[in-house]
């Protein structure tokens, strides 16, 4: 059994994992274990920008950014964490610039910024330019920059190693078990500190912007190890995914002046957010699109609307809105400017839709996009395991798989990139300090035995035990979650989802795969990933059923109002029986409120 020993082991090579590795490696022997080659990680798909109150183009303050984040979170975000993130965002963006990240520039050489949904001037309530961008490839540039810095800093990478278990001995995390995809060998990594930075789990739903690799591996492993998942009922549907495909059309399109148009040719966001219109927060815009479709105003009666970025449309509505450029003159956008600012989006639309966005409107629909919930952590990135903030020594989490609760019930655009670099850095610094204070905890004999038995049972299933197909169960789960635990929910829909998920988990016990080999057995890994997704779907549906209010990304048709008296609290979900799928145990803990008392959100 190959065994490796590092002070710090980081699982996941996206922005959070690489940022953690970069800073951990400055004080400890560090490795990164990833099921993908690092630059294929999902951070690379983040398009529009990273939010920071640099005030390069107009007045802005980190306190404004913090208030917008609290308001966007529907007051469920922890305000101490939000203040910390928004204050640190300014310094971290300049750090990335000094590392070599090629941000777009203003005429005088400063980092350029654009408007983004939910980001406002807190005095005028109008959109503010806060998103620092590198065309519409900002996440890609962050990923490349951090990877280069990690290589420079001698971080060791284990690429295409699929992590399948977390090792805990005497109440301390002391390693992981991973499957080397190339050979099919099991590897044990012994560590003083382990950080999960494994990304989201959007593949629970049928229409999603998430890559096929985003299957919640870290979250599900932690859940099976008795670590609760926080705020799982809050999953964000991004309003503008390509119709039927879910591929993301960045919010930067609307930041550059694009507008949403229904099947009657109306700009409908004026009805739902009269002040900021198309730049309202994502939950507000997604629900508005669904309501337009439900009321028969989809394009040609179908389940999509248009996102229109044609120059004549932008210029028309900019004039009606009174939007002006930095020179004080009315905005006049050309096709060439759209092409230069949104090159990837233009290419996506031509490739996947056969639509030229500077000449035709783009068909879009909400797409499952981002997990606000996840592995609960404190401000230091340390994983906490109960409502009292008890730390599990040696275990850290950062990025989308984690929940320090800066996003609350709804994440603002650009804040995912802020989250990964700010808290990835914090986790890296804290892990290195921790690793230098403790010794290695001895591993148990045969640490891989439990998970190896499970995987080999899947590989070798035959007869009656092998009658179910992984792809069939995955399709049924995704359709169920899209229909019952999507943008709108009810008690009946959530209960039906739980009942059917229990049946899907029973079917999962009888899966079989055709590939019995060891090398590059992606069929086996897809079966493992399906098990992860089913667990996460179950706790998501259970938490959604229990929360009898509407808040942020959680919209209950049968409880349409926010209920601060009863529900201004975070949920913590544990699986009581992950084999039969018979139950989820829910507990709660308070939201940290400092200076912003909950009030009605007005856009």
């Amino acid at each position: 059994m190959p065994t490796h020993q590092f002070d710090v082991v980081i699982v996941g090579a996206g922005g959070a994992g690489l940022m953690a590795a970069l800073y951990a490696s400055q004080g400890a022997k560090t490795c990164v274990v990833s099921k993908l080659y690092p630059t294929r990680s999902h951070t690379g798909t983040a398009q529009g920008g990273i939010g920071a109150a640099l005030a390069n183009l107009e007045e802005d303050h980190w306190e404004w950014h913090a208030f917008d984040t609290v308001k966007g979170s529907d007051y469920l975000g922890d305000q101490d964490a939000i203040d910390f993130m928004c204050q640190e965002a300014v310094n971290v963006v300049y750090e990335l610039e000094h590392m070599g990240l090629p941000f777009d520039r203003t005429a005088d050489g400063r980092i350029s910024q654009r408007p983004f949904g939910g980001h406002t001037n807190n005095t005028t309530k109008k959109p503010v330019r806060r998103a620092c961008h590198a065309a519409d490839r900002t996440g890609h540039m962050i990923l490349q920059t951090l990877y280069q810095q990690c290589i420079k800093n001698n971080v060791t990478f284990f690429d295409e190693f699929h992590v399948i278990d977390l090792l805990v001995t005497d109440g301390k995390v002391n390693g992981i078990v991973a499957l080397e995809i190339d050979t099919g060998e099991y590897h044990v990594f012994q560590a003083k500190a382990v950080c999960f930075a494994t990304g989201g789990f959007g593949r629970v739903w049928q229409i999603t912007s998430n890559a096929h690799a985003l299957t919640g591996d870290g979250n599900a492993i932690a859940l099976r190890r008795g670590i609760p998942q926080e705020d799982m009922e809050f999953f964000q549907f991004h309003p503008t995914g390509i119709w039927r495909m879910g591929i993301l059309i960045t919010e930067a399109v609307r930041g550059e002046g694009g507008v949403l148009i229904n099947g009657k040719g109306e700009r409908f966001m004026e009805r739902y957010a009269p002040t900021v219109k198309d730049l309202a927060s994502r939950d507000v815009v997604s629900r508005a699109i669904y309501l337009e479709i439900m009321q028969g105003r989809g394009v040609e009666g179908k389940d999509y609307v248009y996102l229109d970025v044609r120059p004549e449309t932008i210029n028309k509505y900019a004039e009606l809105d009174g939007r002006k450029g930095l020179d004080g003159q009315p905005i006049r956008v050309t096709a060439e400017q759209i092409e230069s600012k949104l090159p990837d989006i233009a290419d996506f639309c031509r490739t996947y839709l056969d639509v030229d966005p500077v000449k035709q409107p783009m068909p879009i629909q909400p797409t499952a996009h981002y997990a606000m919930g996840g592995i609960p952590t404190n401000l230091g990135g340390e994983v906490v395991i109960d409502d009292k903030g008890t730390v599990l020594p040696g275990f850290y989490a950062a990025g989308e798989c984690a929940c320090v609760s800066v996003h609350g019930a709804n994440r603002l655009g650009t804040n995912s990139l802020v989250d990964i670099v700010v808290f990835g850095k914090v986790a890296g610094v804290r892990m290195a300090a921790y690793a230098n204070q403790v010794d290695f905890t001895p591993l148990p004999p045969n640490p891989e035995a439990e998970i190896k038995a499970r995987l080999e049972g899947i590989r070798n299933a035959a007869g009656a035990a092998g009658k179910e197909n992984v792809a069939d169960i995955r399709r049924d789960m995704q359709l169920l979650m899209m229909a019952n635990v999507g943008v709108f929910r009810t008690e009946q829909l959530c209960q039906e989802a739980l009942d059917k998920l229990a049946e899907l988990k029973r079917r999962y016990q009888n899966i079989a795969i055709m590939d019995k080999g060891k090398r590059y057995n992606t069929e086996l890994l897809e079966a493992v990933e399906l098990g992860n997704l089913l667990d996460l779907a179950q706790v998501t549906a259970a938490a959604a059923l229990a929360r009898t209010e509407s808040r942020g990304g959680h919209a209950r048709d049968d409880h349409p109002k926010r209920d601060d008296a009863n529900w201004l609290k975070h949920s913590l979900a544990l699986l009581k029986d992950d084999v039969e799928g018979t139950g989820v145990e829910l507990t709660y803990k308070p939201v940290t409120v400092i200076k912003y008392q909950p009030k009605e959100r007005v856009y």
Side-chain angles (χ1 to χ4, degrees):
M1 177 64 58
T3 301
H4 315 269
Q5 190 181 76
F6 289 85
D7 294 329
V8 173
V9 171
I10 291 157
V11 181
L18 294 179
M19 197 73 171
L22 179 60
Y23 281 89
S25 66
Q26 293 171 13
K29 183 182 177 184
T30 302
C31 78
V32 174
V33 181
S34 173
K35 70 178 182 181
L36 302 173
Y37 187 75
T39 53
R40 288 186 58 220
S41 299
H42 204 57
T43 300
T45 68
Q47 299 162 343
I50 177 171
L54 306 186
N56 281 351
L57 296 166
E58 57 184 311
E59 182 184 5
D60 200 7
H61 307 276
W62 74 260
E63 293 90 345
W64 289 2
H65 186 187
F67 174 71
D68 287 339
T69 301
V70 172
K71 177 182 174 183
S73 79
D74 223 348
Y75 294 89
L76 199 78
D78 287 332
Q79 294 177 23
D80 55 344
I82 289 170
D83 278 357
F84 176 79
M85 180 183 76
C86 294
Q87 195 167 10
E88 287 296 308
V90 176
N91 296 328
V92 172
V93 164
Y94 285 130
E95 281 184 57
L96 291 170
E97 179 189 31
H98 296 161
M99 289 179 195
L101 199 152
F103 285 111
D104 291 342
R105 300 285 172 175
T106 63
D108 60 357
R110 291 176 292 176
I111 295 173
S112 183
Q113 296 180 278
R114 59 167 56 118
F116 234 76
H119 293 271
T120 63
N121 177 311
N122 288 181
T123 302
T124 67
K125 310 304 180 186
K126 298 291 186 180
V128 68
R129 295 170 176 87
R130 188 177 291 150
C132 311
H133 53 89
D136 55 357
R137 305 179 182 120
T138 311
H140 178 76
M141 295 304 179
I142 289 174
L143 197 61
Q144 296 285 343
T145 300
L146 291 177
Y147 184 51
Q148 291 164 13
Q149 290 292 321
C150 285
I151 294 296
K152 174 185 173 184
N153 221 42
N154 297 316
V155 174
T156 302
F157 284 87
F158 291 87
D159 302 333
E160 297 187 333
F161 278 67
H162 196 297
V163 175
I164 50 179
D165 203 7
L166 178 72
L167 300 177
V168 184
T169 304
D170 297 330
K172 294 181 180 179
V173 167
N174 62 339
I176 58 169
V177 179
L179 187 71
E180 185 178 6
I181 298 174
D182 180 18
T183 64
E185 274 191 307
Y186 295 88
H187 289 244
V188 172
F189 291 79
Q190 185 181 20
K192 297 177 181 178
V194 172
C195 179
F196 276 4
T198 52
F201 50 91
R203 283 287 152 185
V204 162
W205 286 269
Q206 177 198 21
I207 303 295
T208 179
S209 65
N210 287 193
H212 287 280
L214 284 190
T215 52
D217 302 341
N219 298 86
I221 290 169
L223 190 61
R224 286 195 291 271
R225 284 296 180 190
I227 298 162
Q229 301 298 292
E230 181 175 346
D231 289 343
M232 292 294 283
E233 62 268 46
F234 298 109
F235 199 94
Q236 182 176 86
F237 280 71
H238 193 292
T240 54
I242 291 177
W243 181 48
R244 292 188 297 189
M245 300 179 188
I247 297 169
L248 196 66
I249 302 287
T250 174
E251 207 159 334
V253 172
R254 287 174 284 134
E256 297 293 347
V259 297
L260 293 159
I261 304 293
N262 66 19
K264 292 186 174 183
E266 301 168 330
R267 183 194 191 184
F268 57 86
M269 280 309 300
E270 295 170 324
R271 288 196 280 272
Y272 305 94
T275 302
V276 295
K277 302 180 177 71
D278 303 272
L279 286 174
S281 62
R282 291 174 175 176
D283 60 320
V284 172
V285 181
S286 289
R287 283 196 294 275
I289 292 170
Y290 260 87
L291 288 170
E292 290 293 305
I293 291 168
M294 289 163 61
Q295 292 166 17
R297 293 192 290 271
V299 175
E300 298 178 352
K302 297 179 181 177
D303 59 345
Y304 68 89
V305 296
Y306 282 136
L307 175 58
D308 196 338
V309 73
R310 292 175 294 179
E312 60 268 27
T313 302
I314 291 177
N315 295 334
K316 169 187 170 182
Y317 285 106
E319 184 175 350
L320 289 173
D321 291 346
R323 290 181 61 200
K324 296 181 179 180
L326 296 174
D327 57 2
Q329 298 300 309
I331 288 177
R332 303 299 300 174
V333 172
T334 66
E336 291 73 21
Q337 289 172 322
I338 295 299
E339 294 277 6
S340 66
K341 291 182 176 180
L342 303 168
D344 277 3
I345 294 302
D347 185 54
F348 289 163
C349 291
R350 291 176 182 130
T351 300
Y352 296 112
L353 295 173
D354 196 24
V355 166
D356 185 342
V358 299
K359 297 178 182 178
Q360 303 162 274
M362 300 171 274
I364 59 92
Q365 67 181 150
T367 179
H369 180 57
Y370 188 88
M372 273 78 73
I375 303 169
T377 73
N378 59 25
L379 287 181
E382 298 168 302
V383 172
V384 296
I385 57 175
D386 57 29
D387 58 353
K388 300 176 184 63
T390 304
V391 169
L392 178 57
F395 194 27
Y396 298 75
E400 190 176 352
C401 75
C403 183
V404 65
S405 203
V406 287
H407 308 307
N410 173 65
R411 177 176 69 77
L412 287 189
T414 77
N415 274 358
S416 62
L417 293 180
V418 184
D419 179 5
I420 63 175
V421 294
V422 168
F423 291 105
K425 174 183 175 180
V426 168
V429 171
R430 295 290 286 268
M431 282 188 293
Y434 174 81
N436 286 320
Q437 295 170 0
V438 301
D439 295 324
F440 285 99
T441 303
L443 293 170
N446 301 318
E448 80 291 347
E450 178 184 344
I451 195 67
K452 182 178 179 180
R454 179 177 161 221
L455 265 65
E456 295 309 313
I458 294 173
R459 190 199 308 269
N460 299 313
K467 63 182 180 181
E468 293 285 356
N469 181 275
V470 169
D472 290 342
I473 297 174
R474 183 175 58 232
R475 179 200 62 227
D476 291 347
M477 173 197 67
Q478 291 172 336
L479 290 170
L480 173 67
M481 292 297 287
M482 201 74 192
N484 289 48
V485 197
V487 172
F488 285 103
R489 302 157 179 187
T490 66
E491 179 181 1
Q492 179 181 349
L493 289 173
C494 291
Q495 185 60 60
E496 181 181 32
L498 276 173
D499 294 342
K500 291 185 177 179
L501 283 167
E503 175 57 30
L504 290 175
K505 292 187 79 170
R506 284 189 284 272
R507 287 173 57 191
Y508 179 74
Q509 300 308 307
N510 294 319
I511 58 171
I513 60 174
M514 297 178 65
D515 186 353
K516 308 298 183 183
K518 290 188 177 293
R519 297 198 65 194
Y520 280 97
N521 192 336
T522 54
E523 190 179 9
L524 174 63
L525 297 179
E526 285 178 1
V528 172
E529 290 169 338
L530 174 60
N532 295 339
L533 290 170
L534 286 167
D535 285 346
L536 298 175
Q538 185 182 10
V539 293
T540 298
L545 173 64
R547 186 173 287 268
T548 53
E549 65 160 353
S550 290
R551 186 188 296 268
H554 172 70
R556 283 282 296 262
D557 263 3
D558 49 351
H559 296 278
K561 294 188 180 298
R562 196 179 76 196
D563 180 1
D564 292 328
N566 295 302
W567 287 106
L568 189 65
K569 55 188 179 183
H570 300 295
S571 65
L572 294 170
L574 274 173
L575 280 179
K576 289 196 295 187
D577 184 349
D578 64 333
V579 175
E580 293 296 329
T582 55
V584 174
E585 179 182 326
L586 291 167
T587 55
Y588 296 88
K589 65 179 182 178
V591 174
T592 302
V593 177
I594 299 175
K595 54 188 172 183
Y596 305 117
Q597 295 300 318
K599 60 182 180 180
E600 183 182 359
R601 291 191 303 167
V602 178
Y603 286 104

